[in-house]
Amino acid sequence: MKIVNYFKEMYEELVHKTTWPTMQELGNSVIVVSIASLIIALIVFLMDFIFNVGMNLMFPAI
């Protein structure tokens, strides 16, 4: 009986107490996360490139 009560309470909370984002809010969040991810990827790429150039200057290939 405890498990049935748990699922009933879970359903009530998800349907009646939870506020879900609107499509516009969700779209804005997707845009923000995508831009932030691209910026972080660019920063990591630049750090890797600069480190690679520095290592090649310090230890040139034979």
Side-chain angles (χ1 to χ4, degrees):
M1 191 62 188
K2 284 184 177 182
I3 191 77
V4 172
N5 192 26
Y6 171 76
F7 281 110
K8 283 181 183 178
E9 289 177 9
M10 182 182 65
Y11 175 79
E12 283 295 318
E13 186 164 343
L14 283 174
V15 172
H16 299 292
K17 295 179 183 178
T18 304
T19 57
W20 299 98
T22 63
M23 287 301 288
Q24 186 174 2
E25 291 172 337
L26 195 59
N28 290 340
S29 295
V30 167
I31 291 171
V32 168
V33 169
S34 298
I35 291 172
S37 297
L38 287 173
I39 290 171
I40 292 170
L42 180 64
I43 290 170
V44 170
F45 171 76
L46 290 174
M47 289 171 56
D48 181 54
F49 180 76
I50 291 169
F51 183 74
N52 189 21
V53 169
M55 292 301 287
N56 285 337
L57 288 174
M58 289 173 48
F59 303 106
I62 297 176

